[in-house]
Structure formats: C-alpha cells, structure tokens
Amino acid sequence: MEDPYQNNVNQQYTEGGGGEYTYTQQEGGVVGQDGYPCQTDYPPQEEDARSDATEGADDDEQMYEGEYQGIPHPDEIKEARRAARIEARRKARQAAQEEVEEENLPEQYENIMEDCGHGRFQWMLFVVLGLALMADGVDGFVVGFVMPSAEKDMCISNADKGLLGLLVYVAMMVGALVWGGLCDKMGRRKCLIYVLSIDLVFSFLSCFAQSYGFFVFFRFCSGFGIGGSIPIVYTYFTEFLQMDKRGEHLSWLCMFWMLGGLYASFSAWGIIPHYGWGFSLGSEFQMHSWRLFILVCLFPALAALVGVVFMPESPRFLLESARHDEAWMILRQVHDTNWKAKGEPERVFTVTNIKTPQTQEDEFIEIQSDTGTAFQRWSVRHMTMLYHGLGVWFPDMIKYMQYEEYESKVKVFHRERVERFHFNFSLVNQVHREGEYIHDKFANIEIKSVQFRDSLFENCYFEDVKSTNTFFENCTIKDTVFYNTGIEKFKDCRMENTTFLHPKKGCHLNFLEENDIVIYMVSFLGSLAVLPGNIISALFMDKIGRIRIIGGSMLASSACTFLLLLSFSQGAVICWQCLFYGVSVAAWNGLQVISVELYPSAKRGTAFGILNGICKFAAIVASLIFAAFIGVTKIIPIFMAFSALVCGGLVALKLPETREKILS
C-alpha cells in the first residue's frame, strides 16, 4: 500500500529581522523548532490513495466540513498562535538585549576613557577648544570697544549704537540655539569649524565696512557664528573626559573666556586710543586704529580653526550615530597618544567591541525626556538666566555715571551777543540759547556736544569745522557761508542766502584726539578679577561638588549686588564690579559643568545651546530693564538682581549632586 505522505517536504520559515524558525514535515505531523510535535494540514493525496485509518470510508466523509465555508481549520489556528507566541518571545528578547546595551554604553564608555587615561591628547584639545572659547570672549567686547571711535567714521548716533549692541546679542542668542542643535545632528567638530569660519569671514569684512548698515550686518553674521561656540566647546570637551576629571578641567577651560576679555581689553587699550594710526583715501574710505583692533581680535578664532581641523570628532557622538569603527579608531588614537607621552608605548588598546545603542530620530529641540527631573531642568535654566543678567549692567552703569558727570559740567549761554569775533578755539559741551552772532568767523575748530537754539547767525563764516553731536535748532541763518565743514544737523532752521561749499561727509573730530581709556581699564580689571574665582572653582569643583559651588557663589554674589546701592562714584562701582566677577564666576563654571552632565549625549548640544541662548536673552532683558530704570532710580534693577541671585542660590542647594554621574 502506497504511503500517503511519500512526498515529504522540508520547509524553512525565516522571520524578518530576527532568528529562524524551522520545521520538517514528517509522518504523523510536524516537529517544531522547540521539539514538540504538532498536527499539520492534510497534504494533497494521490487519486484513490487510502490509509488504514480511512479505508472503507467515503470521500465526502474525509473532507473538513468547514472548508467550503472559508472557516480556518483548528490546526491552522493553533499553528498561527504558536508562531505569534514565538515571534513575541523573539521581539521581547531582542528589546531586552537592546535595552541592556543602551544601559551599558555609558558605563562602558566611561571604562574606555579611564583606560585611555588623561594626558597629552586632552591637553591638546584643551588648548584648541580654549582658543575657540577665547574667541567668543573677545567677540563680546569688540563692539563696545570700537564704538567710541567708529562713530567718528560713520557718524553713529547714540540710538544706533544701542541698536548695534542689541542686535549682536540677538545674533549670539540665535547662534547658540541653532548651532547647539546642529552639533547633535552633524557632529561637534564639523559644527565648530563652521562656527569659527563664519565668525572669521564676517569679522574680517566688518573691518572694512565704511557704512553703518554694512557694519551692523557683518557684526550680526559674526555674532550668529561665534554664538554657537560655547555649547559646542563644552559638549565636545566633556566627551573626552573621564568622570573624575570633568569638574576640574571644565573649570580650567572656563578661564579662556576670561583670557579673551583680557586680550580684547589690553589690545583695545594699546591700539584704539591712538585714533590717528591709519590712513584715509579722501572722505570715502578710512582705515583707522579701531579697524586694526578688529583684525587683531581675529587671531584667537583663526588659531582655533587651524587647531580644530587637526582634531578628531567626538567618539561618543559617533557611537550615538552608530559609527562604531570610526569611534574605535579615535579612541585608540587617544589611548596611544596619551600612553606614548607617558613613556609606555607598549600598552595596547584592548577594546575590541563597543556596543552601540539603537539609533533613533529625535526631535530637533526635544530635550524634555531622559534629561533628569523637571525640577532639575527648570532650576538649571532659570539660574542661568538669573546669573547672567547683572554682568552687562556694570559697563552701562559706569557709562551713565560718566554721562551724568559730563552733563553736570555743561555750560549754558543765554542771550549772548557776539559781533566781529574770530572763534579759533574748540566749543565743547555747551548750550547757547537766543544768542546773536554777527559778522563772526568760525575757522579750524572742533565743535563737540554743542546746541544752538533760537539763535541768529548773520554774515558769519564757517571754515574747516569738525563737529559731532552738534545741533542748530530753530535758528535763523542769514548771508552765511559754510566751507569744508561737517555741520549738517539743522532742525527747523530758516536759511536766507546761505551757501554750503565742499561739505565734509561723516563725523570729523580730530583724529589725534585721545579716547577715554577708562572703559578699557574697567573691562581689563573686570576680566582679571575673574582669575581667583576660576582657580578656586577648578580646585574644589570635584572636591566639594557642583551644587555647593553654585549655591555659595550665587549667595555671595547677591551680597555684592546689594552693596552697589552704597556706590556713588565710578571708583566704588569698579571695585564692586571686580568683586562681583571674582565671586560669581564660580557659579558660572558650576552651571557649565552641571549642564553637560545633566543631559544625554544625543541631546547635550541642543540643551546646552538653549541654556546659552537663555543667557544671551537675559543679557538683552537686563539691558532693557537697566535702560528703563537707570534714569529714574538704580534701586529697582539692583533689588531685582539681588532677589534673583538669592532665590537662585537657595534653589541650587536643593539640586542633586552630579559629580559622580556617568555621562548618559
């Protein structure tokens, strides 16, 4: 009797993306991969073939009664359920394995960095990234330093100067937000190269801008570039540091921002006051000392760009991007560089496999999950805002005191009559009301901050007059000649037979005039005062912890702020400024360190960019608040800063410590 199952078929089922499931058809049923037999569908039989069990039975009786109704056979249902259970178990095992790998990556990476050691490679990267941070520090001072001189070339008003400073901060805020997010997508090294290149190109172009519009545009683009340096630099350097080195060496890195301030203020002090350095081609193109100062300020960014080109990408970023081989090669380079420099070239990089997490597409600014508690995120963001606002007030406070002092010395002349007189001396900080000037000559003089109101000029002659911030308001000017002068600000004046010959363009104060060097000295001293605080924070960041550093520094800073209420002179403000900078820099360093430790690697740059953007926004808001209240009272802005620092310091003490936290 012929075997009804003579056509045995071996079938193999391969499930997508996972392991294989195999079964073999044999007599009496199916043996699954787990070894248990199960009933299979009836195979096709040859015509008239019969088995012992079915012999004598009618063909119609052997047919499954539900076949024509489309109802699945019970054995098919069992088989489908078994396959579903096997698939579910496979997916569960795969998910568990991936979860373990993701959890193990931070600890594994920390062990690798400890094996690589801390040595020559980290110090080379420290210098390169420090120069990039120094370039950011320099850029924060450039506009404030060049404005007193640039206004002479471009005739910039006080309102325009304020707008320029505001736009630069806005550009740096946008740059921090954009580049912080991009460095999580494109890589730390690549974005840092773009940032430094943009800053270099547009800063260089701003040196030669002859109009205020182009100067603003170039400085805005430069600020957009360099604004992204801080989030990239700290994120980049952190991922090459082992846990017990992070606090100390990130604090040392913060010192480069101070060095940027020292470099800028010292260069400005030595270059800008000598306004006559340079040359001019007619009145259309002028190249004076402040433009040379901008060129000198490009050196840190240029040196940083050259250095970054020779540095590798962050291996932690490469692992997060599933670029295992590239990350392994860089880690081996770090290992070999350090141990060869320590005199142990025989040490071999023993890591052969690095588990990489499953990659996933994150939202561009999504940093709300897996980034610590909501309280941690709220605290770090708001303390960053509270801390940064007051720092921008000190220069403005000193400038306002200088302005008040200057205004208090203004000379007022009322109803004076001057006839047939030769003005051969400069007129500075004066107000002339209802005066009469008959047959007078103004030749080869400078007129600065002078106002003529409701006055009469008859048969007068102006020649080679250089002026700035000088106004003629509601005046009558008869039979008068203006020859080769820069006087162009006439408001509601009546002109009768008045002639303008060869008028000068722009502002034309004496190029040999010495600029006020107080602002450079103040910035230099303020930057230098940061040094003790930087050293203390670097030495104790890993010993007493980030939280105590931040909280103690902010509370001490609040005391310095309160003492500003007792300051009634420029000297007192400068003293409290230096003390505030020296005390508060420890909190700033602590915030930088805790920011990179609180967020996961895949979102670290984005989070840090947002925090740094908040800093710039705080500076903008602080400037607006100060401008709104300083003319009325200084109590309100100082009390606001004092309250903010006290609250921030108390909140900081409630944060969990992160000095023993492995980078997630």
Side-chain angles (χ1 to χ4, degrees), residues 383-441:
M383 282 193 300
T384 304
M385 178 181 291
L386 298 177
Y387 164 74
H388 195 70
L390 185 64
V392 301
W393 286 356
F394 288 108
D396 288 338
M397 187 176 297
I398 294 172
K399 290 178 183 177
Y400 184 77
M401 286 184 171
Q402 291 177 338
Y403 174 77
E404 283 188 324
E405 183 179 359
Y406 189 78
E407 286 290 307
S408 66
K409 296 179 180 179
V410 64
K411 296 180 181 179
V412 179
F413 299 87
H414 188 234
R415 292 186 176 180
E416 64 175 350
R417 180 181 175 89
V418 182
E419 188 172 356
R420 301 185 184 280
F421 185 79
H422 182 192
F423 288 87
N424 55 3
F425 50 87
S426 297
L427 305 179
V428 179
N429 196 21
Q430 299 177 1
V431 175
H432 299 262
R433 297 194 183 103
E434 301 181 16
E436 295 183 0
Y437 306 91
I438 313 296
H439 294 287
D440 293 328
K441 183 178 181 180

Side-chain angles (χ1 to χ4, degrees), residues 44 108 142 146 160 164 167 186 230 272 302 359 375 423 502 531 581 593 609:
Q108 184 184 14
V142 168
V146 303
D160 289 338
L164 176 59
L167 288 177
M186 300 170 57
I230 288 182
I272 296 180
L302 180 61
T359 60
F375 178 71
F423 288 87
H502 305 290
L531 181 60
Y581 284 162
V593 175

Side-chain angles (χ1 to χ4, degrees), residues 43 169 218 233 247 270 343 394 399 504 527 597 614 621:
Y169 267 104
F218 292 145
V233 163
F394 288 108
K399 290 178 183 177
K504 292 183 177 181
S527 299
E597 293 176 334
I614 291 175
V621 173

Side-chain angles (χ1 to χ4, degrees), residues 451-455 470-477 487-495:
Q451 299 179 21
F452 294 97
R453 299 176 181 173
D454 304 309
S455 299
T470 298
F471 300 90
F472 290 76
E473 183 177 355
N474 197 29
C475 295
T476 301
I477 304 175
I487 301 175
E488 298 178 351
K489 298 180 179 179
F490 300 93
K491 182 178 180 182
D492 299 327
C493 293
R494 293 176 296 279
M495 303 287 186

Side-chain angles (χ1 to χ4, degrees), residues 3-17:
D3 187 354
Y5 303 114
Q6 59 184 348
N7 297 325
N8 291 339
V9 181
N10 291 333
Q11 301 184 13
Q12 186 177 41
Y13 285 73
T14 303
E15 300 170 337

Side-chain angles (χ1 to χ4, degrees), residues 439 457-461 477-481 495-499:
H439 294 287
F457 293 85
E458 186 174 356
N459 291 310
C460 293
Y461 183 74
I477 304 175
K478 299 180 178 180
D479 302 317
T480 298
V481 176
M495 303 287 186
E496 299 180 10
N497 195 26
T498 300
T499 305

Side-chain angles (χ1 to χ4, degrees), residues 341-626:
K342 294 178 181 179
E344 300 183 37
E346 69 280 358
R347 294 193 60 157
V348 179
F349 187 55
T350 57
V351 176
T352 57
N353 182 49
I354 305 175
K355 296 178 181 179
T356 56
Q358 183 183 18
T359 60
Q360 60 182 5
E361 294 297 327
D362 299 320
E363 294 295 328
F364 183 67
I365 305 295
E366 170 56 39
I367 61 170
Q368 296 298 322
S369 61
D370 301 329
T371 56
T373 65
F375 178 71
Q376 287 175 311
R377 295 191 299 271
W378 182 89
S379 301
V380 172
R381 292 181 186 181
H382 285 74
M383 282 193 300
T384 304
M385 178 181 291
L386 298 177
Y387 164 74
H388 195 70
L390 185 64
V392 301
W393 286 356
F394 288 108
D396 288 338
M397 187 176 297
I398 294 172
K399 290 178 183 177
Y400 184 77
M401 286 184 171
Q402 291 177 338
Y403 174 77
E404 283 188 324
E405 183 179 359
Y406 189 78
E407 286 290 307
S408 66
K409 296 179 180 179
V410 64
K411 296 180 181 179
V412 179
F413 299 87
H414 188 234
R415 292 186 176 180
E416 64 175 350
R417 180 181 175 89
V418 182
E419 188 172 356
R420 301 185 184 280
F421 185 79
H422 182 192
F423 288 87
N424 55 3
F425 50 87
S426 297
L427 305 179
V428 179
N429 196 21
Q430 299 177 1
V431 175
H432 299 262
R433 297 194 183 103
E434 301 181 16
E436 295 183 0
Y437 306 91
I438 313 296
H439 294 287
D440 293 328
K441 183 178 181 180
F442 301 80
N444 299 307
I445 65 171
E446 299 169 8
I447 304 179
K448 180 179 180 181
S449 299
V450 177
Q451 299 179 21
F452 294 97
R453 299 176 181 173
D454 304 309
S455 299
L456 170 66
F457 293 85
E458 186 174 356
N459 291 310
C460 293
Y461 183 74
F462 292 81
E463 180 181 2
D464 291 328
V465 176
K466 302 165 186 173
S467 70
T468 185
N469 198 28
T470 298
F471 300 90
F472 290 76
E473 183 177 355
N474 197 29
C475 295
T476 301
I477 304 175
K478 299 180 178 180
D479 302 317
T480 298
V481 176
F482 293 86
Y483 179 83
N484 193 30
T485 67
I487 301 175
E488 298 178 351
K489 298 180 179 179
F490 300 93
K491 182 178 180 182
D492 299 327
C493 293
R494 293 176 296 279
M495 303 287 186
E496 299 180 10
N497 195 26
T498 300
T499 305
F500 292 88
L501 299 175
H502 305 290
K504 292 183 177 181
K505 295 181 180 179
C507 300
H508 297 275
L509 281 178
N510 189 348
F511 292 161
L512 298 177
E513 178 186 0
E514 292 285 324
N515 288 316
D516 186 6
I517 64 173
V518 173
I519 190 64
Y520 312 133
M521 182 188 67
V522 169
S523 299
F524 181 84
L525 294 176
S527 299
L528 190 62
V530 171
L531 181 60
N534 264 318
I535 295 175
I536 292 173
S537 63
L539 294 177
F540 293 97
M541 188 70 70
D542 289 321
K543 292 182 174 61
I544 67 176
R546 291 81 161 113
I547 302 308
R548 291 180 180 177
I549 287 284
I550 296 173
S553 176
M554 294 186 76
L555 292 175
S557 301
S558 66
C560 297
T561 304
F562 183 77
L563 292 174
L564 283 173
L565 292 173
L566 306 178
S567 303
F568 300 99
S569 66
Q570 295 183 38
V573 172
I574 293 174
C575 289
W576 293 126
Q577 172 197 357
C578 293
L579 182 61
F580 175 83
Y581 284 162
V583 171
S584 63
V585 69
W588 177 249
N589 293 353
L591 287 171
Q592 306 284 38
V593 175
I594 200 174
S595 295
V596 296
E597 293 176 334
L598 190 60
Y599 295 91
S601 296
K603 303 171 184 177
R604 185 169 293 123
T606 303
F608 209 115
I610 291 177
L611 292 173
N612 197 250
I614 291 175
C615 289
K616 300 301 187 293
F617 178 75
I620 295 171
V621 173
S623 297
L624 296 176
I625 292 175
F626 185 83

